[in-house]
Amino acid sequence: MKFYNRDIELDQLEKTRLLSESYAQMTIITGRRRIGKTSLIMKSVENRKMVYLFISRKSETLLCDEFISEIQNKLDIKVFGEIKSFSELFEFLMQLAIKQHFTLIIDEFQELMNINSSIFSSMQKIWDNYKNNSKIHLIISGSVYSLMVKIFENSKEPLFGRANERIFLKPFDIQTIKSILTDNYPNFKNIDLLTLYIISGGIAKYIELLIDRNIFEHKQIINEIFKENSIWLSEGKNLLIEEFGREYTIYFSILSLLASSKTSRNEIESILQKSIGGYLDKLENEYNIIKSVRPIFARKNSRNQKYFINDNFLNFWFRFIYRHSSAVEIGNFMYLRNIVERDFDTYSGRFLEKWFRDKLATKGNFSQISSYWDKKGNEIDIVAINELEKCALIAEVKLNKSKININLLKTKALSLKDDLSGYDLEFAGYSLEDM
């Protein structure tokens, strides 16, 4: 698959690279695994002098041996003497950058914590000593979000405040997903597009895995996931088990319930028979995996809130793979495919709503876009507000266009009459046809 999007990030990296020709610059790139951090970095250094160091879980000495070979090859130099520690290696490169400009990439940086946690203090001292004289662009990338935040954003950590630039790489937006499918399969149906969106969530590697195998249609995608030796079956566990550590079973139970539409704290606590306030807080603020949502116009301290998993694929994984792990274990993939097909219309509705909220956001016409619900049972899929022009869009989203009822929507909207007093109201219905 060809390289898509990321123009803003590439421009940011190029501007920082130019600054690094005068004095050292540090860029931190974070984002979940498979999102395309390494592809972005390598695209940014095409035809540039650079050194790429991937931190794998090996002894520090073995890593240094590998890295010396990379340095000699990429910078066309000879390294004399033994370098046995990463700190020595880093100082050698900072010294080398006094005489020549290059980009140093350290990928999966957080793994250094498992190899030698004192490295960060050493790096901080070396960076501070050489940064004004070294002509280096240091790009540090990491996939374990909580650890990268701890290393660079915790004021008690040695590398706090050292980065000149930060990039939090997000999934492809809906227009990019649609462009990729259009380029590779122009005759797609909107159910194919919705399925690709639900499964990939805009994660570059997931889209690439499907596109490169010429898998474009709804049924093809589902069949690819639920088959013998499918990499998708263990993906959720592989992504999260390092984040959560020994308490992963509690977090997995919470996420499984969220994916099954148990979206309130009370619902989850009644099922688990356990207080989960601290876990929800960590999932949202430390791990960046869920978000809390209140109905539009609700007060910030309102307890009327729901929780949702941010990541489309993780939501799918917990709903259909983790929840049915026994069927996965015995390889009953036909059963699993049947479960998905049975529940897909109901399950996909929320993601179709999410698609249209994102679509409206790209137009730049609104200051708020959310949903609304109350204790009386009134639910409105989309409420989009333009506070400057005093207008609002109120919309219903259904897979099947024939099921949209604008008159009923207007009746539900009466619940918002006080909050939208003086606003011009527009009512709309969106369906699969409008993607």
Side-chain angles (χ1 to χ4, degrees):
M1 189 176 82
K2 73 177 187 180
F3 190 87
Y4 281 88
N5 204 306
R6 310 305 192 195
D7 294 336
I8 293 172
E9 292 85 356
L10 287 171
D11 183 62
Q12 184 176 346
L13 287 167
E14 177 60 13
K15 287 177 178 176
T16 308
R17 188 196 66 80
L18 291 171
L19 288 173
S20 71
E21 292 179 352
S22 300
Y23 50 90
Q25 298 287 307
M26 185 190 299
T27 298
I28 310 302
I29 301 180
T30 56
R32 59 100 90 198
R33 283 192 172 97
R34 317 282 201 189
I35 205 165
K37 297 183 299 298
T38 304
S39 295
L40 167 67
I41 293 168
M42 301 313 288
K43 183 72 174 178
S44 75
V45 295
E46 279 183 350
N47 304 315
R48 305 289 188 188
K49 188 180 287 188
M50 65 88 180
V51 174
Y52 175 80
L53 308 181
F54 180 84
I55 309 299
S56 55
R57 291 193 180 182
K58 297 180 180 179
S59 73
E60 197 171 348
T61 302
L62 287 177
L63 277 179
C64 289
D65 286 341
E66 287 181 14
F67 294 160
I68 287 168
S69 298
E70 169 75 4
I71 292 165
Q72 292 183 139
N73 181 45
K74 290 296 177 64
L75 299 182
D76 194 24
I77 61 168
K78 289 289 184 183
V79 179
F80 298 100
E82 288 188 327
I83 296 179
K84 297 295 184 183
S85 73
F86 189 83
S87 299
E88 289 178 89
L89 187 80
F90 184 62
E91 184 165 20
F92 170 78
L93 289 167
M94 291 295 289
Q95 289 174 341
L96 194 63
I98 294 173
K99 296 181 179 179
Q100 61 172 307
H101 173 260
F102 60 93
T103 297
L104 171 62
I105 301 156
I106 307 178
D107 203 352
E108 295 300 344
F109 182 79
Q110 77 283 338
E111 292 295 340
L112 288 170
M113 187 177 289
N114 298 308
I115 295 168
N116 181 352
S117 59
S118 68
I119 287 173
F120 303 134
S121 294
S122 301
M123 286 187 69
Q124 175 248 309
K125 293 173 184 175
I126 295 164
W127 181 260
D128 290 347
N129 285 338
Y130 289 95
K131 65 180 180 180
N132 292 328
N133 298 312
S134 295
K135 296 179 283 293
I136 190 171
H137 184 193
L138 173 59
I139 300 177
I140 291 175
S141 174
S143 298
V144 181
Y145 180 81
S146 56
L147 293 182
M148 290 295 287
V149 169
K150 180 178 186 294
I151 292 167
F152 291 103
E153 297 184 23
N154 185 328
S155 60
K156 296 180 181 180
E157 295 297 319
L159 290 175
F160 172 77
R162 266 56 187 188
N164 304 94
E165 297 288 340
R166 288 181 175 84
I167 295 175
F168 177 67
L169 201 59
K170 296 179 180 179
F172 288 143
D173 59 32
I174 58 172
Q175 189 53 53
T176 302
I177 298 171
K178 191 171 184 177
S179 295
I180 294 171
L181 190 55
T182 301
D183 289 348
N184 291 276
Y185 189 56
N187 296 323
F188 72 85
K189 297 176 181 177
N190 281 359
I191 188 64
D192 305 325
L193 177 58
L194 180 59
T195 306
L196 179 62
Y197 174 64
I198 288 172
I199 297 302
S200 75
I203 302 302
K205 188 63 179 180
Y206 297 159
I207 296 176
E208 182 181 41
L209 284 170
L210 295 170
I211 297 299
D212 287 352
R213 289 165 172 77
N214 294 319
I215 295 170
F216 310 115
E217 297 178 352
H218 166 80
K219 283 191 176 294
Q220 289 179 323
I221 294 171
I222 301 304
N223 289 342
E224 178 68 13
I225 291 169
F226 296 104
K227 69 175 189 180
E228 196 73 43
N229 301 317
S230 166
I231 67 165
W232 306 85
L233 299 177
S234 58
E235 180 71 357
K237 191 171 184 179
N238 292 341
L239 283 170
L240 296 178
I241 202 162
E242 186 174 2
E243 286 274 17
F244 298 150
R246 287 176 295 181
E247 289 190 298
Y248 84 90
T249 54
I250 299 172
Y251 287 112
F252 274 37
S253 296
I254 294 170
L255 292 170
S256 180
L257 290 170
L258 289 177
S260 299
S261 300
K262 302 294 188 291
T263 55
S264 75
R265 176 176 171 177
N266 287 341
E267 281 182 295
I268 297 171
E269 288 184 338
S270 66
I271 294 169
L272 297 183
Q273 293 293 296
K274 181 182 182 68
S275 176
I276 61 165
Y279 295 102
L280 289 173
D281 181 67
K282 284 188 175 182
L283 281 169
E284 182 170 17
N285 299 308
E286 187 173 326
Y287 299 123
N288 195 38
I289 290 171
I290 69 171
K291 65 176 179 179
S292 57
V293 178
R294 294 181 176 87
I296 197 164
F297 302 124
R299 294 178 180 178
K300 289 186 177 180
N301 61 353
S302 170
R303 294 187 178 182
N304 184 15
Q305 62 182 353
K306 298 178 180 180
Y307 293 89
F308 298 100
I309 299 173
N310 288 327
D311 187 291
N312 286 13
F313 173 74
L314 286 178
N315 200 99
F316 182 90
W317 189 85
F318 278 104
R319 172 64 180 82
F320 292 108
I321 298 175
Y322 182 73
R323 183 178 178 182
H324 300 287
S325 54
S326 296
V328 174
E329 283 293 318
I330 63 174
N332 194 347
F333 301 116
M334 180 62 74
Y335 172 81
L336 292 164
R337 289 193 289 267
N338 288 338
I339 290 287
V340 174
E341 292 298 347
R342 184 196 69 186
D343 296 346
F344 190 81
D345 283 2
T346 302
Y347 176 78
S348 62
R350 187 172 75 79
F351 296 92
L352 191 60
E353 293 172 22
K354 186 178 177 183
W355 175 280
F356 285 112
R357 280 195 288 269
D358 289 348
K359 189 174 182 178
L360 290 170
T362 61
K363 294 182 177 181
N365 295 333
F366 302 104
S367 52
Q368 290 186 68
I369 302 174
S370 189
S371 53
Y372 172 81
W373 64 91
D374 62 24
K375 294 180 181 179
K376 298 177 182 178
N378 290 312
E379 293 189 14
I380 300 174
D381 298 328
I382 297 176
V383 182
I385 306 295
N386 184 324
E387 294 170 304
L388 187 64
E389 298 181 8
K390 293 292 182 182
C391 60
L393 172 69
I394 299 174
E396 183 175 6
V397 180
K398 298 285 187 186
L399 279 177
N400 189 334
K401 195 166 191 172
S402 66
K403 294 185 177 181
I404 294 172
N405 188 332
I406 296 298
N407 289 328
L408 179 59
L409 179 63
K410 289 179 178 179
T411 301
K412 291 179 180 179
L414 292 174
S415 302
L416 294 170
K417 63 181 180 180
D418 293 336
D419 294 297
L420 293 175
S421 177
Y423 277 72
D424 292 326
L425 303 183
E426 177 187 354
F427 293 89
Y430 299 122
S431 71
L432 195 63
E433 297 176 22
D434 303 303
M435 289 182 72

